[in-house]
Amino acid sequence: MQGLTKQENRVARTAAQGLTNRRIAETPHLTRRTVELHLSSAYRKLGIHGRAELAAALWS
């Protein structure tokens, strides 16, 4: 996705598949707070307001 960093893209795509922040944070080197920050940044860059809009924004 244009505009997202590699890590933001990875976290956003994982979240769009239905995983919780806690589950995503089980990935090595990620804390739940880091996941939250990546998602917040991705939402801002994609012009959306939350997880409900994420899949459509990523795959449109």
Side-chain angles (χ1 to χ4, degrees):
M1 170 59 43
Q2 186 178 28
L4 299 182
T5 66
K6 183 178 176 181
Q7 192 70 354
E8 288 168 348
N9 190 22
R10 192 174 120 245
V11 169
R13 288 182 181 277
T14 305
Q17 293 172 357
L19 273 71
T20 64
N21 290 1
R22 175 178 275 170
R23 189 82 171 131
I24 297 168
E26 291 176 357
T27 304
H29 309 295
L30 286 180
T31 65
R32 191 167 32 172
R33 181 66 181 141
T34 300
V35 170
E36 292 167 357
L37 290 171
H38 284 315
L39 285 174
S40 294
S41 179
Y43 296 161
R44 187 175 56 257
K45 289 177 181 181
L46 294 170
I48 61 174
H49 299 287
R51 196 177 291 252
E53 302 171 73
L54 191 54
L58 289 173
W59 290 296
S60 62

